[in-house]
């Protein structure tokens, strides 16, 4: 994110539901400044006259606008909180993945992924953009949250019943009888999501990322514990389904615990037209993109079998680690940030270009490093029975380096008034991409992975064309935002390439060699970031400085005590 200028501001109000974050009202109070000079009349008073009365006709826009520096300090804090959450969630996920991959076979894992893929496509329509409606609305209150809950609950009931009734048809289509029971269990989770979604959206809008962190970490931990326990007990693929239901229940309980507003559960249809106007286009776009993302699972499951689905799915899990570590952390913050810029009348292009530079400065080196040490990573995370997925991991990791504009496309277009452009871009780019996937699916998982070197640049180019229409910027500025990131990526690759050359076995590294290559690459990345003064380096310094100062102060105290 763009570096924030220092600003003195009052500490955010803290309370039962506002811990570690600041509300919009507190931002306005903290950034309001008296217009008079020191020693002059107090704001709102004239000499010899009674205090000026507030103008009841004043509009919302007349209230003090938070300064860019203070808002960006909130964004930085939010990024740190979300990053911490993502790393906790990622650690839990990696632990349960390592255990379950050794307890279940590729066929069982593949069957579960096929069922989850079907549910995720339906889930994209069921949400109907209600959470984005809460974040996007300039005057969001409990009333709009009630409307969002009502719409979400109604749609969830419809799709839960539809999924339960059609489970047998899906099982017959894929020739997997167990898939029917799997989908019926997953339909239960649809009935729980409406009770947590609006509360979590309110937390995101109000930058309550500390509270949201505990909800997401608790939900992930519940899923992991239930999944591993059921896998040990021999539930097989059904372990995933019951774990998802348990995590949905945990999300409801934790959301109410950190933000106890049961009033949002009172049905209301006030403003439902606005919710549907935003949600209709958003949901159709989400449905198209989610169906496309899951198309390889459907194709491999239909023409190859659950074992190929398992190999490709586990390769996706490993190859998406950079995305989950980096883009996932920013994703929860980017939309509120651009929405705040739009409400306050600030230009979006500087923030967009700065975000592009920050994303690629971390995504590119990590993805390339993962491709180079994929063999020991798969061996540690999944076990030897999954080594056939190593080439797929390498290809998908390299292809993920081209996806860096994807995280910013939706929030930038939404904030700039181009919500319909997201749907148009999907309608242009997805059909030819889907055709390429259909052709490549006959070649197996590796061919499907290789097709992303064609489909990803195609979709990214279309998205950038629409973004430049709404947020004008020069291509030279865009290339300049990527220049330092490219140099950092090259520097990061040098140590692991040296280890590969010395091993003499190509990409087949032992676990100690993989650790050495990974540590060397991480060290080279950090040094290159600091030497080349990448924008992310300032965030790294700000993160490290309190730790260093704390250790130094404690060391001095210990020595003084002696």
């Amino acid at each position: 994110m763009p570096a924030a200028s220092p600003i003195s501001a009052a500490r955010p109000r803290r309370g039962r539901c506002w811990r570690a974050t600041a509300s919009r009202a507190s931002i306005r109070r903290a950034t309001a400044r008296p217009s008079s000079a020191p020693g002059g009349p107090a704001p709102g008073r004239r000499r010899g006259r009674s205090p000026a009365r507030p103008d009841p006709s004043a509009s919302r826009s007349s209230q003090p606008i938070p300064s860019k520096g203070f808002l960006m300090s909130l964004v930085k804090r939010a990024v740190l909180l979300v990053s911490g959450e993502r790393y906790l969630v990622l650690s839990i996920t990696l632990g349960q993945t390592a255990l379950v991959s050794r307890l279940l076979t590729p066929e069982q894992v593949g069957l579960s992924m096929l069922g989850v893929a079907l549910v995720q496509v339906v889930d994209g329509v069921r949400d109907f953009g209600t959470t984005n409606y809460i974040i996007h609305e300039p005057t969001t209150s409990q009333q709009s949250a009630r409307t969002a809950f009502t719409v979400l609950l109604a749609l969830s009931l419809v799709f839960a019943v539809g999924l339960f009734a059609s489970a047998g048809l899906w099982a017959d289509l894929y020739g997997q009888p167990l898939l029917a029971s799997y989908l019926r269990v997953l339909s239960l989770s649809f009935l729980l999501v409406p009770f947590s979604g609006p509360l979590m959206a309110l937390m995101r809008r109000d930058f309550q990322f500390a509270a949201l962190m505990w909800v997401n970490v608790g939900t992930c931990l519940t899923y992991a514990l239930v999944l591993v326990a059921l896998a040990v007990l021999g539930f097989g693929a059904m372990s995933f389904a019951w774990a998802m239901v348990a995590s949905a229940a945990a999300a409801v309980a934790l959301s109410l615990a950190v933000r106890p507003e049961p009033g949002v559960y009172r049905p209301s249809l006030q403003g439902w037209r606005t919710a549907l106007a935003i949600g209709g286009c958003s949901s159709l776009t989400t449905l198209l993109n989610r169906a496309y993302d899951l198309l390889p699972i459907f194709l491999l499951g239909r023409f190859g079998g659950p074992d190929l689905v398992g190999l490709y799915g586990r390769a996706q899990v490993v190859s998406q680690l950079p995305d989950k570590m980096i883009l996932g952390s920013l994703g929860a913050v980017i939309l509120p940030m651009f929405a705040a810029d739009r409400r306050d009348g600030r230009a979006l292009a500087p923030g967009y270009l700065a975000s592009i530079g920050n994303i690629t400065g971390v995504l590119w080196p990590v993805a390339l490093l993962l491709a180079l040490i994929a063999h020991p990573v798969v061996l540690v995370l999944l076990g030897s029975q999954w080594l056939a997925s190593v080439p797929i991991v390498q290809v998908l990791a390299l292809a993920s380096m081209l996806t860096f504009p994807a995280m910013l496309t939706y929030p930038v277009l939404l904030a700039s008034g181009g919500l319909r452009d997201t749907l148009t871009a999907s309608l242009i780019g997805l059909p030819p991409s889907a055709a390429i996937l259909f052709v490549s699916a006959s070649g197996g998982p590796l061919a499907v992975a290789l097709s992303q070197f064609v489909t990803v640049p195609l979709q990214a180019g279309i998205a950038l064309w629409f973004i430049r229409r709404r947020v004008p910027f020069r291509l030279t500025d865009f290339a300049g935002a990527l220049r330092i990131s490219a140099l950092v990526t090259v520097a990061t690759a040098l140590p692991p390439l040296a280890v590969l050359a010395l091993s003499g076995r190509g990409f087949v590294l032992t676990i100690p060699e993989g650790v050495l290559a990974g540590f060397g690459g991480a060290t080279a990345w950090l040094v290159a970031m600091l030497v080349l003064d990448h924008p992310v380096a300032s965030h790294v310094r700000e993160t490290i400085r309190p730790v260093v100062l704390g250790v130094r102060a404690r060391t001095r105290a210990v020595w003084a005590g002696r």
Side-chain angles (χ1 to χ4, degrees):
M1 322 311 296
S5 58
I7 180 171
S8 59
R11 294 177 65 86
R13 190 180 78 175
R14 301 176 186 270
R16 182 178 179 186
C17 302
W18 299 86
R19 53 193 177 202
T21 54
S23 66
R24 298 286 171 188
S26 66
I27 296 175
R28 290 194 293 268
R29 288 196 299 271
T31 54
R33 294 290 184 270
S35 59
S36 57
R45 297 185 63 91
R46 299 181 181 178
R47 296 182 185 275
R49 298 188 182 185
S50 59
R53 296 181 180 179
D55 182 6
S57 63
S59 64
R60 183 177 183 272
S61 61
S62 64
Q63 296 182 7
I65 296 176
S67 70
K68 181 67 172 178
F70 184 66
L71 181 61
M72 288 311 300
S73 68
L74 285 183
V75 172
K76 283 185 178 181
R77 182 190 184 102
V79 170
L80 290 176
L81 286 171
V82 176
S83 297
E85 169 210 317
R86 291 288 175 173
Y87 292 135
L88 286 174
V89 169
L90 183 62
S91 300
I92 296 170
T93 302
L94 291 179
Q96 62 95 0
T97 300
L99 290 173
V100 171
S101 296
R102 289 164 170 82
L103 293 171
L104 302 180
T105 64
E107 290 79 9
Q108 291 173 320
V109 173
L111 178 62
S112 70
M113 289 184 170
L114 184 60
V116 170
L118 291 169
V119 171
Q120 285 181 344
V121 172
V122 178
D123 188 66
V125 183
R126 179 201 53 79
D127 180 81
F128 211 73
T130 50
T131 55
N132 288 331
Y133 159 70
I134 294 174
I135 297 172
H136 177 70
E137 278 298 283
T139 57
T140 295
S141 62
Q142 190 180 84
Q143 179 61 51
S144 56
R146 289 172 55 197
T147 302
F149 165 75
T150 305
V151 173
L152 187 58
L153 180 61
L155 292 172
S156 297
L157 286 171
V158 171
F159 286 113
V161 172
L163 183 63
F164 190 92
S166 63
L169 298 177
W170 290 110
D172 293 339
L173 177 64
Y174 284 94
Q176 300 291 330
L178 185 60
L179 188 60
S181 301
Y182 191 97
L183 293 176
R184 291 188 178 114
V185 171
L186 285 183
S187 66
L188 299 177
S189 65
F190 277 20
L191 304 178
L192 296 172
V193 172
F195 295 89
S196 60
L199 292 178
M200 296 174 72
L202 286 173
M203 295 179 208
R204 287 180 60 194
R205 176 184 170 87
D206 295 331
F207 284 83
Q208 290 182 259
F209 289 100
L212 192 60
M213 177 184 71
W214 295 116
V215 175
N216 289 330
V217 171
T219 300
C220 179
L221 185 60
T222 301
Y223 177 85
L225 292 176
V226 173
L227 174 60
V228 173
L230 294 180
V232 171
L233 293 175
F235 278 70
M238 293 299 296
S239 305
F240 292 91
W242 287 113
M244 188 169 292
V245 175
S247 66
V252 176
L254 292 171
S255 297
L256 283 171
V258 300
R259 183 153 183 161
E261 294 187 33
V264 302
Y265 299 147
R266 288 185 295 156
S268 173
L269 290 176
Q270 181 177 339
W272 65 273
R273 294 181 184 274
T274 304
L276 292 181
I278 294 177
C281 184
S282 173
S283 294
L284 185 54
T285 304
T286 301
L287 173 63
L288 290 174
N289 284 275
R290 189 168 293 180
Y292 171 78
D293 290 338
L294 297 171
L295 185 58
I297 300 295
F298 296 137
L299 292 175
L300 293 173
R302 183 70 179 86
F303 302 111
D307 55 336
L308 295 184
V309 173
L311 285 176
Y312 187 86
R314 277 297 185 249
Q316 275 189 317
V317 170
V318 177
S319 65
Q320 289 174 356
L321 289 177
D323 178 86
K324 293 182 181 299
M325 289 189 297
I326 303 150
L327 303 186
S329 301
L330 295 175
V333 181
I334 284 173
L335 179 56
M337 182 193 72
F338 282 125
D341 282 345
R342 177 188 62 84
R343 288 192 294 268
D344 299 336
R346 287 187 284 266
L348 300 180
Y352 175 79
L353 293 175
S355 298
I356 285 289
N358 291 347
I359 288 173
T360 54
V362 186
L363 174 64
W364 284 358
V366 175
L368 181 57
L369 180 62
L370 176 60
L372 294 175
I373 62 172
H375 188 276
V377 169
V378 169
L379 197 58
V380 170
L381 291 182
L382 306 180
S384 58
Q385 65 172 332
W386 297 92
L387 286 178
S389 66
V390 169
I392 308 172
V393 171
Q394 292 175 314
V395 172
L396 291 177
L398 293 175
S400 71
M401 296 175 64
L402 305 174
T403 64
F404 63 92
M407 177 60 65
L408 302 177
T409 300
Y410 179 81
V412 169
L413 290 178
L414 178 61
S416 60
L419 179 61
R420 293 185 181 275
D421 290 345
T422 62
L423 177 58
T424 305
S426 297
L427 291 174
I428 294 174
L430 294 185
S433 300
I436 294 172
L437 277 179
F438 270 108
V439 173
S440 62
S442 59
L446 184 58
V448 171
L450 287 170
S451 69
Q452 292 200 14
F453 286 108
V454 178
T455 59
V456 172
L458 171 65
Q459 296 171 38
I462 294 172
L464 285 175
W465 187 83
F466 279 99
I467 289 174
R468 290 188 68 205
R469 291 178 60 210
R470 298 283 179 174
V471 185
F473 58 84
R474 295 180 300 177
L475 291 178
T476 54
D477 295 333
F478 185 80
L482 303 176
R483 182 177 59 85
I484 300 181
S485 298
L487 295 175
V488 170
T489 303
V490 172
T492 302
L494 295 179
L497 286 174
V499 174
L500 289 170
L502 293 174
S503 69
R505 298 186 304 275
F507 293 104
V508 183
L509 298 178
T510 63
I511 293 178
E513 290 172 341
V515 172
L516 178 61
F519 182 78
T523 304
W525 171 83
L526 181 59
V527 172
M529 295 284 283
L530 297 174
V531 171
L532 297 173
D533 196 24
H534 191 280
V536 174
S538 62
H539 304 309
V540 174
R541 293 189 187 98
E542 291 179 8
T543 304
I544 296 176
R545 185 179 296 114
V547 178
V548 174
L549 293 178
V551 172
R552 185 182 300 175
R554 183 167 298 182
T555 303
R556 289 177 179 176
V558 171
W559 280 104
R562 292 182 178 179

